[in-house]
Amino acid sequence: MKRIASLSISFAALIEFAIERTRFHLWIVAVVAIVTVLWNVVGRALRSHMDSQKHDNSESVSRG
């Protein structure tokens, strides 16, 4: 009976460790996903801004 209790406690500790480790990995995945989305949004905005500036500059050069 004592051995079963010991195994149960060990198994519970192992499950708790696995859950904590999974939770940590989920945080890492979430942070990477958020950074990736922000990187793409900022990249698109900057690209759009730079393209509009290039377009404005080419118009001013062709007018001059």
Side-chain angles (χ1 to χ4, degrees):
M1 192 68 174
K2 196 173 187 179
R3 184 175 175 186
I4 293 174
S6 175
L7 285 175
S8 296
I9 291 171
S10 298
F11 190 64
L14 182 64
I15 290 173
E16 185 177 350
F17 174 74
I19 289 171
E20 288 298 320
R21 190 175 167 112
T22 302
R23 191 176 295 156
F24 176 70
H25 286 140
L26 284 175
W27 272 109
I28 291 173
V29 169
V31 167
V32 168
I34 290 169
V35 167
T36 302
V37 168
L38 288 175
W39 187 268
N40 287 335
V41 168
V42 169
R44 278 192 199 141
L46 285 175
R47 221 172 299 124
S48 172
H49 180 70
M50 295 299 282
D51 287 345
S52 67
Q53 279 188 341
K54 284 181 187 176
H55 185 68
D56 292 345
N57 286 343
S58 63
E59 283 182 358
S60 65
V61 168
S62 63
R63 285 186 199 157

